[in-house]
Amino acid sequence: MESKKLTRRRFLLRTFGTALGISAAGAFYGFVLEPGWILTSRVKIRIPGLSPALAGKRIVHLTDFHLGPVSPAYVRKCVDRALELEPDLIALTGDYITRHGRNAAREAATILGRLKAPLGVYAVSGNHDFGVYRSGSRPRDPLVMALLEEEGITLLDNRAIPFARDGIRTWLVGLGDLWAGECRVTETMGDLPAEDTRIVLNHNPDAVFDIAAKGADLVLSGHTHGGQVDLPVFGPPLLPVSNRQYYSGLYQVDGRTRLYVSNGLGYLIRVRFNARPEIVMVELSGQD
């Protein structure tokens, strides 16, 4: 008959082995599996007064590729997945590269230049595209944006373009990056006709209250990466935003404005837990 001391030792060894196995499995999942396990989120958004030019159309929203820590092969995989969805319009909301540099900018633009859609591909900048890693840093020129334009992608920083049919107009609005001091909401949206609907591309969701005040119907943002690690009950330990309530998924900001914050596709450090990389496909509908 085994002694109590030997039985206890075996119990402790089994417990330690189990804990070690769980830790190894968790590390494999968070550092190896989930960072490359792309989620396609499909969401239907009804916008009263939407122009028939956009009613029933599908917008694929891609953001936060972060070429650098993320490989070119992975970015190409994201592009392939997006094209398989056969979108009518593609919206890109920033952070195409991680570190400001000509080689990374050229490579990102070349890969993203493969994106095509009948109604066009539109891009706004993120903080990393300016070389800004925290609010208040002095931005540099976003070379990657000029290279995206060379690839046929329409730059939309602080611009609004109309989609109109049957006298009904919807504006696709783009805003520059908030941390770079380039998010000019009033200048871009202040003169848009009150009766027209508007869909806004904006990197950082911290700007959403100013955007909502200008009558946005739908805002598509990224920047947060869904926290990259989103702990059950506690939520993300780290978020690069002041307003932590909007960090992943679809939100009703006020009576009119809805906000979708994508988890994005890349990362700064290769780890994700409960925050899978995300392609968002928005199906638009108008007044019933």
Side-chain angles (χ1 to χ4, degrees):
M1 188 173 182
E2 291 184 349
S3 67
K4 288 184 179 180
K5 188 173 183 179
L6 183 58
T7 301
R8 182 170 178 271
R9 181 181 298 170
R10 287 184 173 177
F11 172 77
L12 291 173
L13 286 172
R14 287 174 182 170
T15 301
F16 176 76
T18 300
L20 189 62
I22 292 172
S23 298
F28 177 80
Y29 178 82
F31 289 93
V32 178
L33 181 59
E34 187 169 306
W37 186 17
I38 299 171
L39 170 69
T40 299
S41 297
R42 302 168 189 265
V43 58
K44 293 185 178 181
I45 301 288
R46 180 177 172 270
I47 301 177
L50 181 73
S51 171
L54 291 177
K57 302 301 184 183
R58 294 174 298 178
I59 298 176
V60 162
H61 175 210
L62 307 170
T63 191
D64 295 271
F65 294 93
H66 284 287
L67 183 69
V70 170
S71 71
Y74 176 75
V75 178
R76 282 191 287 269
K77 174 183 173 182
C78 294
V79 167
D80 290 341
R81 291 284 184 90
L83 291 174
E84 287 170 3
L85 297 172
E86 299 182 343
D88 298 293
L89 185 150
I90 297 175
L92 308 175
T93 58
D95 280 4
Y96 310 103
I97 56 177
T98 297
R99 293 291 174 185
H100 194 85
R102 178 171 294 276
N103 290 341
R106 170 59 69 189
E107 192 159 31
T110 299
I111 297 170
L112 296 177
R114 293 177 49 229
L115 291 168
K116 307 294 178 186
L119 296 180
V121 182
Y122 302 87
V124 297
S125 56
N127 57 291
H128 281 268
D129 304 317
F130 282 95
V132 174
Y133 310 118
R134 64 185 183 279
S135 183
S137 298
R138 183 177 179 179
R140 290 175 278 181
D141 292 335
L143 173 63
V144 67
M145 302 304 291
L147 295 174
L148 287 173
E149 188 173 36
E150 288 182 9
E151 295 291 337
I153 293 172
T154 301
L155 304 190
L156 216 57
D157 277 17
N158 302 311
R159 292 181 57 205
I161 61 172
F163 289 82
R165 185 184 297 170
D166 302 332
I168 302 172
R169 186 168 46 194
T170 292
W171 294 88
L172 183 65
V173 180
L175 296 169
D177 181 65
L178 182 67
W179 280 9
E182 296 293 324
C183 185
R184 300 170 189 160
V185 180
T186 299
E187 177 183 323
T188 308
M189 301 181 66
D191 293 331
L192 299 183
E195 66 274 14
D196 293 353
T197 56
R198 52 211 75 183
I199 297 168
V200 180
L201 311 184
N202 167 68
H203 181 66
N204 189 330
D206 269 348
V208 72
F209 294 113
D210 290 338
I211 297 169
K214 296 300 180 183
D217 295 277
L218 174 64
V219 182
L220 300 177
S221 294
H223 184 62
T224 66
H225 302 189
Q228 286 198 201
V229 174
D230 188 0
L231 300 176
V233 181
F234 298 102
L238 298 172
L239 282 172
V241 288
S242 299
N243 180 12
R244 293 177 60 90
Q245 72 182 110
Y246 303 138
Y247 72 90
S248 178
L250 182 64
Y251 302 93
Q252 189 80 38
V253 178
D254 59 16
R256 175 172 178 173
T257 304
R258 273 163 291 185
L259 166 69
Y260 198 103
V261 183
S262 171
N263 289 348
L265 287 157
Y267 43 78
L268 300 178
I269 299 172
R270 187 185 171 94
V271 59
R272 281 187 180 267
F273 180 81
N274 197 31
R276 286 172 61 187
E278 182 178 31
I279 293 173
V280 182
M281 188 169 76
V282 179
E283 184 176 335
L284 299 173
S285 65
Q287 190 77 38
D288 291 340

